[in-house]
Amino acid sequence: MTPRVQVDLALLAPASVTAAQIDTVIRRDSGELLESLLLFDEFTGQGIPDGSRSLAWALTFRHPERTLKDKEVQDITEKVVKALEGELGVRQRTA
């Protein structure tokens, strides 16, 4: 079995955006290399702007026949972040 690559993605989402909406976009734009997706943290409060919440997701990627290159996973992640921002106003959390 080929090795998997896990990426943790911390997102800042408007309160009106549901986790299910984010899940749908991540799955759609990650493509067939996404093996699993897990929401592992949700936080509101200090350090988070009013009307927003922080959501942290674990994305696991695997190719059935070869080892994934870092650049491939980075490109997929960037595509997902761009789609989330454009469609739902969800941004990647940097701090």
Side-chain angles (χ1 to χ4, degrees):
M1 184 171 277
T2 59
R4 67 178 192 261
V5 178
Q6 182 172 319
V7 175
D8 289 345
L9 198 56
L11 302 171
L12 203 55
S16 60
V17 174
T18 67
Q21 287 173 292
I22 295 169
D23 182 289
T24 298
V25 172
I26 293 173
R27 287 181 191 280
R28 183 196 69 214
D29 284 286
S30 292
E32 58 193 30
L33 296 178
L34 183 69
E35 183 177 78
S36 68
L37 177 62
L38 174 68
L39 174 63
F40 68 87
D41 189 46
E42 187 170 348
F43 176 75
T44 56
Q46 188 174 356
I48 306 299
D50 286 345
S52 297
R53 67 191 196 287
S54 173
L55 300 156
W57 299 83
L59 290 73
T60 305
F61 298 96
R62 188 190 312 255
H63 192 285
E65 297 164 2
R66 62 177 174 79
T67 300
L68 289 170
K69 294 178 173 55
D70 289 343
K71 177 81 171 110
E72 285 178 284
V73 175
Q74 186 179 353
D75 287 348
I76 293 168
T77 305
E78 287 173 7
K79 177 184 175 189
V80 165
V81 169
K82 194 172 282 190
L84 286 167
E85 194 165 344
E87 293 175 37
L88 301 175
V90 173
R91 299 187 326 254
Q92 187 168 8
R93 186 171 173 200
T94 53

